[in-house]
């Protein structure tokens, strides 16, 4: 409270009425010419040095921090006490007229004498801080915490102000036992500046007060909300000293004067109870009874306390100082001393999030010769824009230099797409900034720190997966597909990311490739997987392709994410085991050598037995599959469609079809896509009763020769067609003629129910009403007249405005031909009637 009271007292004499008593009229002024390069620098500052003029407040706050830090170190060096306040204040002062205003930034730091004002503010990059550092006999870490050159940062004030006043008084010392408060005054266009004693006297005690007379287009900086926003963005952690903003608000409080007047009026009023009129007094017994009741009522009313009048209220304008940087920079503290609640609170406040982060990593690192402190946060949600654009998200990393925010745009050195959702704060001890502090002179640091952040983030995720599986499950639900994207995009980080990716299988959920390899069967040389983007893992687990694998106890990855098959195709193998798509040809279990002769003999027997059926199906499925073979992967299902090793699986075919131009494929232009789609084979299960029954029908047709039953032949063809289309559907492929497929199903269902195949459905429907003849008809003659009138009017307007351009005056671009005049007349024919208009160039 004493500090805020002191602040209020210090603010009272500031800028009352005329600024600095009409710019120090009547006082001895001393004029100085700016150094020759300073005038040029000010123009550069105002016109091109800073890309956003919002940074003026950041620069001035940084200078104020320098002054306070200089005072602190000097007091330690020379051994004198430093009294409060040690802070920075910001005050917006609108003009009483309602137009224009001023912004006042004050620090209670080292302060400057008249000579310091002239030297530090009138000379290019001549900084009191710079001189002080050359002379300071202290440790390099303390001295290195001072930022920038005061002179250059000060000139940013002219971005928003036409005139700037700097009132300053140095701290009392042996060299200057009686310091005097002086004022520096200059406008943005002046070739010189003035320094003179402050007509208000010593209002500061010590320190510097910068008053900006705002330009008409910069009055937005009078709004306290805007100032809060700028400080929060650029300077919340730029200084360890408090930053206060004066806020003016209206409060409703009791009106003491009105209350006193109300009390006086109440005391002067004498209440005398009135007697009831004679006509109301009772004489009879009945009246006396009623009178008693009435008297009781009057007594009760008399005993009631009078209601107090409402308390008068009034609106009062209150000024208060709000602490803007009350949240400390956590990254500067030892991680051992920071609690989870502090991390969560910092994250929510900094990134305007409502949920706590899923993970935090606080560390100190080095990128080349530059040290930095950083904090990484894993957000609770993934932004919707992440999957809607091919570009990486931006703004997740906040780069600071000595707690001063520099940029969140790393350009080409930004995080890659897959991890661009990460939130991070990086505070470098030093960086080679250009003079505006907005861009780096060298991007080497950014490239190095990017890789450090990626490595640390992967380490953080790996640690969470080991220490807190439940929390890591939440991370995978949100960012699992992003990890897979990173493994596809980044060959450098691929194997690190693979340890973070979990897979669902037919035997278990949430396992890693290393665990799958560790549990492989004896002789197994492949990692089995089945891809089906967007298909539930429970559905994939029932696929025809893994019937035998599951029955024998083999583990199959259920790749149900869109990126799974693409990632596996990029990996090709893991720990010496090749990936095998179980929906393709070439399925090998690994234990075939144990009974090779028996299996070979069995296969030959099946091929011989089912040869007639295989040949028959090949003829029927010639346009759909390349081959028909005996299957070694089916247990219960009758058949399945498998892709060749170089063909598209059902999942990949859908992914490619979504990216292929159907028109080009129809014209035969996309040959590779068409070829890959046709690399399919039909595998039949020789143990299926359906296949055995179909074989008997085919043999019956062969035995009949020319006397074969046409009805039976038609029925067998239909069953084979249904079998093939059904296999396509069960294997995940699309049926090209779905209408024909369901028509055949309809006929089979009719036969099974004894319904006549020739029986037709009643297709009678109610027709639409006739055309409405009552509507108004368009008068074609009138339409033609209106159109001719419009064309004639346009031609007159064109002739009035300018003559038609001549072709010889037109500009002809290189490589183009000279346009030929065109005198054709625009004709519109309505029922044989020509309506002539203007030439084309007049239309």
């Amino acid at each position: 409270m004493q500090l805020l009271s002191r602040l209020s007292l210090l603010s009272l004499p500031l800028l009352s009425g005329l600024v600095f008593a009409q710019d120090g009229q009547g006082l001895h002024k001393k004029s100085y010419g700016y150094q020759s390069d300073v005038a040029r620098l000010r123009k550069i500052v105002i016109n091109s040095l800073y890309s956003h003029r919002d940074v003026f407040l950041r620069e001035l706050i940084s200078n104020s921090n320098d002054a306070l830090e200089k005072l602190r170190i000097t007091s330690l060096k020379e051994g004198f006490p430093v009294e409060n306040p040690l802070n920075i204040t910001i005050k917006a002062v609108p003009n009483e007229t309602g137009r224009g205003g001023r912004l006042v930034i004050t620090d209670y730091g080292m302060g400057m004498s008249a000579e310091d004002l002239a030297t530090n503010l009138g000379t290019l990059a001549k900084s009191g801080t710079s001189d002080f550092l050359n002379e300071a006999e202290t440790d390099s870490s303390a001295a290195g915490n001072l930022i920038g050159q005061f002179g250059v940062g000060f000139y940013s004030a002219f971005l928003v102000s036409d005139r700037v006043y700097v009132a300053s008084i140095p701290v009392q010392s042996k060299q200057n036992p009686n310091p005097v408060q002086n004022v520096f005054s200059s406008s943005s266009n002046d070739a010189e500046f003035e320094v003179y004693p402050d007509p208000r006297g010593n209002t500061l005690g010590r320190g510097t007060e910068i008053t900006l007379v705002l330009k008409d287009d910069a009055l937005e900086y009078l709004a306290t909300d805007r100032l809060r926003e700028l400080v929060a963005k650029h300077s919340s952690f730029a200084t360890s000293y408090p930053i206060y903003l004066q806020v003016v608000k209206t409060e409703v409080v009791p009106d003491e004067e009105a209350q006193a007047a109300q009390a006086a009026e109440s005391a002067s009023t004498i209440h005398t109870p009135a007697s009831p009129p004679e006509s109301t007094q009772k004489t009879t017994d009945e009246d006396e009874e009623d009178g008693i009741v009435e008297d009781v009522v009057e007594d009760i009313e008399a005993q009631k306390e009078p209601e107090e009048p409402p308390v008068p209220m009034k609106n009062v304008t209150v000024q208060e100082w709000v602490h803007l940087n009350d949240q400390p920079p956590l990254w500067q503290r030892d991680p051992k001393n920071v609690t989870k609640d502090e991390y969560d609170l910092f994250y929510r406040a900094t990134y305007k999030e409502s949920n706590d982060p899923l993970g935090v990593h606080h560390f100190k690192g080095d990128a080349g010769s530059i040290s930095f402190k950083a904090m990484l946060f894993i957000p609770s949600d993934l932004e919707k824009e992440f999957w809607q654009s091919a570009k990486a998200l931006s703004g997740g990393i906040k780069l600071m230099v000595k707690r001063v925010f520099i940029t969140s745009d790393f350009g080409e050195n930004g995080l890659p797409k897959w991890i661009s959702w990460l939130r991070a704060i990086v505070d470098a001890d030093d960086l080679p900034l250009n003079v505006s502090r907005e861009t780096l002179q060298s991007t080497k640091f950014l490239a190095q720190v990017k890789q450090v952040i990626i490595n640390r983030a992967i380490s953080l995720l790996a640690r969470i997966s080991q220490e807190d599986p439940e929390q890591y499950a939440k991370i995978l639900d949100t960012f699992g597909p992003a990890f897979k994207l990173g493994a596809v995009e980044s060959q450098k980080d691929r194997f690190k990311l693979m340890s973070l990716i979990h897979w669902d299988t037919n035997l278990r959920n949430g396992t890693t490739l290393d665990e799958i390899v560790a549990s492989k069967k004896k002789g197994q040389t492949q990692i089995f997987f089945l891809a089906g983007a967007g298909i539930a893992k429970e559905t994939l687990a029932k696929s025809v392709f893994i019937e035998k694998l599951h029955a024998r106890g083999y583990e199959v990855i259920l790749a149900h994410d869109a990126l799974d098959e693409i990632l596996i195709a990029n990996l090709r193998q893991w720990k010496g085991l090749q990936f095998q798509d179980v929906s393709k040809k070439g399925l090998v279990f690994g234990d075939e050598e144990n009974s090779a002769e028996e299996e070979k003999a069995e296969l030959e027997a099946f091929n011989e037995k089912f040869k007639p059926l295989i040949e028959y199906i090949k003829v029927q499925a010639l346009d759909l599959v390349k081959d028909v073979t005996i299957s070694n992967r089916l247990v219960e299902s009758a058949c399945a469609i498998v892709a060749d090793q170089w063909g598209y699986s059902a999942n990949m075919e859908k992914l490619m079809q979504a990216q292929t131009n159907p028109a080009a494929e129809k014209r035969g232009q996309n040959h590779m896509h068409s070829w890959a789609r046709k690399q399919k084979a039909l595998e039949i299960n020789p143990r299926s009763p359906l296949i055995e029954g179909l074989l008997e029908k085919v043999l019956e047709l062969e035995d009949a020769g020319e006397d074969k039953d046409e009805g039976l032949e038609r029925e067998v063809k239909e069953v084979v067609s249904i079998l093939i289309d059904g296999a396509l559907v069960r294997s995940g492929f699309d049926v090209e003629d779905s209408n024909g497929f369901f028509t055949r199903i309809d006929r089979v269902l009719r036969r099974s129910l004894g319904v006549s195949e020739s029986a037709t459905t009643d297709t009678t429907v109610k027709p639409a009403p006739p055309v409405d003849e009552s509507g108004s008809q368009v008068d074609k003659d009138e339409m033609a007249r209106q159109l001719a009138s419009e064309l004639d009017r346009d031609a007159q307007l064109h002739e009035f405005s300018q003559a038609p351009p001549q072709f010889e005056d037109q500009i002809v671009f290189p490589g183009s031909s000279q346009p030929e005049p065109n005198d054709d007349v625009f004709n519109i024919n309505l029922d044989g009637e020509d309506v002539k208009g203007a030439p084309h160039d007049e239309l």
Side-chain angles (χ1 to χ4, degrees), residues 459-502:
S459 298
L460 169 63
L461 292 165
R463 189 179 75 240
I464 296 175
S465 68
Q466 296 294 326
E467 298 176 357
D468 193 348
E470 184 177 345
Q471 182 75 351
Y472 190 67
K474 296 179 182 178
I475 294 175
L476 283 180
D477 286 342
T478 304
F479 301 104
F483 298 161
K484 295 174 182 177
L485 175 63
V488 171
E489 290 183 339
S490 175
Q491 189 171 0
K492 181 178 182 181
D493 300 314
R494 178 173 298 164
F495 291 98
K496 297 178 186 177
L497 287 170
M498 290 309 301
S499 64
L500 303 178
I501 297 172
H502 288 188

Side-chain angles (χ1 to χ4, degrees), residues 215 326 349 379 496:
K215 298 178 181 179
D326 53 347
K496 297 178 186 177

Side-chain angles (χ1 to χ4, degrees), residues 801-827:
S801 60
Q802 60 178 2
Q806 300 299 319
F807 282 101
E808 41 276 31
D809 294 333
Q810 291 184 350
I811 298 175
V812 180
F813 293 95
S816 64
S817 58
Q818 182 73 19
E820 295 294 335
N822 187 354
D823 294 332
D824 293 343
V825 175
F826 181 56
N827 297 317

